[in-house]
Amino acid sequence: MSVSDPLLKDLKGYAQQLLEVQGPIKDSNEYVSKFCECLEKIFQQGLSCINYSSMSFRPSGIWDWLELMADNRMGDSYSYQMAVNNVKECAKIKKNIGRARLLIRTCLVKKCLHVPVHNYLMFTDWKHVFSSQSILGDDILCQILYSVLLWVGRLNFELDLNNSRFLDVTWDLPVTKKLELVPCKKMGVTVIFVEGKAVCFDIQKNSVAAEDDVVQVGDIIDELNGNVITTSSQGSLNNLMRKTAGFPISIYLIKAKWKNNLFPPIVPLLVAAKLDISSIRQKQMAEQDAKVLIKNEMAKSSITYIGNVSTGSLGDVKQIAGGINQILSGKGNQIDSLVTFECLDLGVKVTDKAQAKILLKHSYMEIASCGCAVDIPYYFAYIASDGLCSQSDNFVCYVFHCNIQSEIDTILNSIGQGFKRTHYVV
């Protein structure tokens, strides 16, 4: 075989692109999947049957030999052995090809992707695994591959290893979201299990899950409160909710939407669940258009954190107008900073735009009231305590200015919804 190979050349090119990245390498980098897919082809090239013992044989496969290279007799490769064990325990993967793909990604994070090639080079008993016409079956090319993997092992990969549900069928990764919802007895989601995956079939109106469309029909609940959701979870989702009653609900969600369309491997699941694909697509497109409009509106708007003033032991909405008037007359703490105002699942966050510094952060449980003064347009405020409202006698009014009234209305409505939801739960 020649001292060059097209696959090895491609792998070195992708590695070079990764080496040029400043900072951690994430899944959003296009060369991560290209590198992994190319390496999979190299590991598959020329693979023959593997003799596990004198009595048994298994069909050739990438996972078979990668697992074999974690044998304790291969020497000190603890990080690689742990990576293999972690993949074995992953309930999201059902096929060996998926295990091999997850192992490659895990080894990138743990910096041990060179170990199986090193062990293969060191122990001649396994030389029969690859044909002499393959990269791993050629001593020189195998050494070059080993050096490339050592090279890549110096890089800092921050990959989402939880995003592994569809590695059985593709290297493409779906869009995922980690959500933290307020404590509640029911999320308001009806799921149907298709091929072991919990597909969201219906979202109850005005439920926690329906707020801001965080969970949508066609999405897949991959994990709930840290538990992987599989076919065995059918009938036990309510039990998982009850075990964490009174605490925020954490969800790891696989979105149906992918690159302005639907994630291809999800489509057959939606068909099997008898969901209307065209309806889901239309909603995704409408949502995309709405986001563009909101982005354009936000580009035109600006919110200024004017300042704050104490309202003593009173936190009701009647104090809003007085608080705004006091700040505008120069009393209290004058801030005057351009900010971003975010209404999150559990509270509000105000960040200084220039310094990217968080100025305010209050949970809805700490917010007593919000509103604006009728006779003073474009100003709004909320009043919060330094703890739970019901247990506090020290309230502060935080005053803001925004040049778009519709944005003020959206913020106040969001705070009001969060306030009612969290207080209702308690």
Side-chain angles (χ1 to χ4, degrees), residues 16-260:
Q16 183 60 49
Q17 292 292 336
L18 294 171
L19 281 165
E20 293 174 3
V21 175
Q22 299 294 323
I25 301 171
K26 306 192 180 214
D27 285 314
S28 54
N29 188 307
E30 63 175 313
Y31 292 103
V32 172
S33 60
K34 289 180 178 180
F35 178 88
C36 291
E37 194 165 353
C38 184
L39 184 62
E40 177 189 57
K41 291 176 182 176
I42 290 174
F43 283 168
Q44 182 69 55
Q45 186 189 59
L47 195 59
S48 60
C49 290
I50 298 173
N51 186 354
Y52 277 82
S53 71
S54 58
M55 301 297 294
S56 64
F57 287 83
R58 286 190 189 181
S60 59
I62 303 173
W63 170 253
D64 293 336
W65 86 269
L66 288 175
E67 182 186 13
L68 186 66
M69 293 301 108
D71 193 304
N72 287 328
R73 293 171 295 175
M74 295 293 183
D76 184 18
S77 55
Y78 177 75
S79 59
Y80 182 67
Q81 291 168 13
M82 286 300 297
V84 170
N85 289 335
N86 290 344
V87 171
K88 284 181 181 179
E89 294 170 2
C90 181
K92 301 178 185 182
I93 303 290
K94 302 301 179 186
K95 298 179 181 178
N96 280 349
I97 187 62
R99 294 185 182 96
R101 288 168 176 172
L102 180 57
L103 181 59
I104 289 172
R105 287 170 55 78
T106 303
C107 288
L108 284 174
V109 173
K110 293 184 177 293
K111 303 179 185 297
C112 58
L113 192 52
H114 64 284
V115 172
V117 178
H118 170 267
N119 290 347
Y120 176 77
L121 283 168
M122 293 297 292
F123 292 87
T124 55
D125 290 349
W126 308 112
K127 292 297 182 183
H128 64 280
V129 171
F130 291 92
S131 74
S132 59
Q133 299 303 308
S134 65
I135 292 172
L136 281 157
D138 182 278
D139 287 340
I140 296 176
L141 293 180
C142 191
Q143 287 286 354
I144 295 173
L145 173 64
Y146 176 61
S147 67
V148 171
L149 298 182
L150 272 178
W151 203 19
V152 171
R154 300 172 187 168
L155 304 177
N156 181 21
F157 287 87
E158 290 185 3
L159 310 181
D160 182 6
L161 298 181
N162 287 323
N163 194 353
S164 58
R165 183 73 74 163
F166 288 94
L167 287 177
D168 280 343
V169 294
T170 180
W171 271 110
D172 289 330
L173 297 177
V175 175
T176 61
K177 277 190 177 181
K178 292 179 181 178
L179 304 175
E180 190 172 79
L181 306 181
V182 296
C184 60
K185 292 181 180 179
K186 291 184 177 180
M187 286 193 301
V189 180
T190 301
V191 301
I192 181 169
F193 281 84
V194 181
E195 297 181 10
K197 301 171 181 68
V199 180
C200 296
F201 185 79
D202 184 59
I203 312 295
Q204 184 180 340
K205 289 183 179 180
N206 301 320
S207 64
V208 171
E211 186 175 343
D212 297 327
D213 282 332
V214 289
V215 183
Q216 297 179 322
V217 171
D219 293 344
I220 293 173
I221 298 179
D222 198 45
E223 296 178 17
L224 178 62
N225 292 333
N227 298 281
V228 175
I229 304 303
T230 61
T231 305
S232 61
S233 306
Q234 292 188 63
S236 63
L237 295 183
N238 286 335
N239 290 333
L240 292 177
M241 292 284 290
R242 279 195 288 271
K243 285 180 182 178
T244 55
F247 293 92
I249 301 166
S250 64
I251 302 177
Y252 187 76
L253 194 70
I254 296 175
K255 300 296 292 180
K257 182 182 177 183
W258 188 73
K259 296 183 179 179
N260 296 321

Side-chain angles (χ1 to χ4, degrees), residues 265-298:
I266 281 183
V267 173
L269 305 182
L270 304 184
V271 173
K274 295 183 169 27
L275 288 169
D276 187 342
I277 303 295
S278 61
S279 174
I280 294 174
R281 278 202 180 100
Q282 286 172 7
K283 186 172 182 180
Q284 298 283 7
M285 294 304 294
E287 184 186 72
Q288 185 67 26
D289 293 340
K291 284 183 178 179
V292 172
L293 288 173
I294 291 172
K295 187 176 180 181
N296 291 338
E297 284 293 310
M298 289 183 67

